Amino acid sequence: MYKTLFSCSNKVAIVAGGCGLLGREIVKGLTDFGATVYIADTEKEKAEKVIKNNNIRYIYLDITSENSIEESTANIVKEHGKIDILVNSAYPQTNDWGLKFEQVQFESLKKNLDDHLGGYFMCCQMVAEKMKLQGGGSIINLASIYGVVGPDFSIYDGTEMTMPAAYAAIKGGIITLTKYIATYYGKYNIRANAISPGGIFDNQHPSFVENYSKKTPLGRMGLPNEIVGAVVFLASDASSYVTGHNIIVDGGWTAW
């Protein structure tokens, strides 16, 4: 019975932002567990580097465009008759991303909220309506520990880095939106959950890596592939009674 608990065989998955740092690993992980996975992204050339077999496919998707989301999801349903899993991991941002709080222009804030939080909303809305017709599905939204707790700005000392204000607003909104979707669509057997990663290593400034690691109980930053287990759990029948939850994968950062 339990041997197939985490299986995603015969499931069709969309990974929005599948070319990203986390998206690439999520695509590989879902495929390893048997799913047919669509890299839904704007960057076809990057997607082609991830595609290793026929179970990984590419479809153009711009989460900031309602027409793009509608067209891509409709095409997948037309080909497979269903969408079982949606993973929202896209990370759109404006060119001025990373400015300090007092420097952020209101128009920039609104643009980032519209594109990122708004894009997740549109993807969830369109896919949930398709899942409703097929009798269920799993929606997984990538949030962040900074949607849960306030930033520790001391970890950025000695660098030009900061934690953008829009990021906190977006990720906190994603967690709450996910809970809303879980309660709204639960009667249709649609589950919605969030995953909040802690800091993920991506060759950041050495001072930041050192500062971050010192404040984490496990003593290091996370790796992209360490998010995959939570995604597979939420995508599979192993989490059949889990909805409206936010799984924090942060090496203990929020446990202090």
Side-chain angles (χ1 to χ4, degrees):
M1 175 182 176
Y2 296 113
K3 289 182 179 179
T4 59
L5 199 58
F6 291 88
S7 173
C8 294
S9 294
N10 301 315
K11 294 183 183 291
V12 177
I14 302 174
V15 180
C19 292
L21 180 67
L22 298 183
R24 294 192 299 269
E25 296 301 323
I26 292 168
V27 168
K28 294 173 187 175
L30 289 173
T31 306
D32 285 346
F33 279 82
T36 297
V37 184
Y38 279 87
I39 300 173
D41 208 302
T42 58
E43 302 189 67
K44 186 175 182 180
E45 289 186 6
K46 287 186 179 180
E48 289 173 346
K49 296 178 181 178
V50 180
I51 296 173
K52 302 296 183 183
N53 57 59
N54 196 44
N55 286 336
I56 302 178
R57 308 178 186 188
Y58 171 77
I59 193 164
Y60 180 87
L61 174 65
D62 176 2
I63 73 161
T64 70
S65 166
E66 189 171 0
N67 289 337
S68 177
I69 299 168
E70 187 170 16
E71 182 178 353
S72 60
T73 54
N75 285 338
I76 292 172
V77 171
K78 184 177 180 180
E79 182 172 353
H80 297 279
K82 62 177 184 173
I83 297 171
D84 300 294
I85 303 158
L86 167 66
V87 182
N88 276 314
S89 65
Y91 192 1
Q93 54 192 268
T94 55
N95 292 331
D96 61 352
W97 187 254
L99 290 178
K100 293 184 178 180
F101 183 84
E102 63 271 20
Q103 299 172 322
V104 177
Q105 298 295 311
F106 187 45
E107 289 303 315
S108 173
L109 177 70
K110 289 192 292 183
K111 174 68 171 169
N112 281 299
L113 287 168
D114 282 349
D115 287 354
H116 196 149
L117 179 57
Y120 278 38
F121 165 80
M122 289 191 293
C123 287
C124 289
Q125 184 186 58
M126 292 189 191
V127 173
E129 285 300 298
K130 290 173 172 55
M131 288 177 170
K132 184 167 72 172
L133 297 175
Q134 70 196 34
S138 176
I139 294 172
I140 304 164
N141 291 321
L142 269 290
S144 168
I145 55 169
Y146 283 152
V148 179
V149 297
D152 181 346
F153 287 100
S154 70
I155 64 174
Y156 304 108
D157 290 347
T159 77
E160 295 298 318
M161 300 169 63
T162 190
M163 211 293 290
Y167 187 82
I170 290 163
K171 294 305 185 179
I174 287 171
I175 293 169
T176 307
L177 174 65
T178 302
K179 294 176 183 291
Y180 181 98
I181 293 166
T183 58
Y184 191 82
Y185 283 100
K187 63 184 177 182
Y188 301 108
N189 194 35
I190 297 169
R191 298 183 296 108
N193 293 282
I195 297 173
S196 286
I200 302 297
F201 180 72
D202 190 24
N203 297 306
Q204 293 96 332
H205 191 287
S207 294
F208 169 79
V209 175
E210 182 180 359
N211 292 339
Y212 189 95
S213 299
K214 285 179 180 178
K215 292 180 175 289
T216 307
L218 290 186
R220 63 177 178 84
M221 298 190 74
L223 299 175
N225 61 7
E226 292 182 302
I227 305 302
V228 175
V231 174
V232 172
F233 169 67
L234 293 175
S236 69
D237 290 341
S239 61
S240 59
Y241 199 54
V242 179
T243 194
H245 191 52
N246 177 39
I247 298 180
I248 299 176
V249 185
D250 68 347
W253 175 273
T254 56
W256 288 118

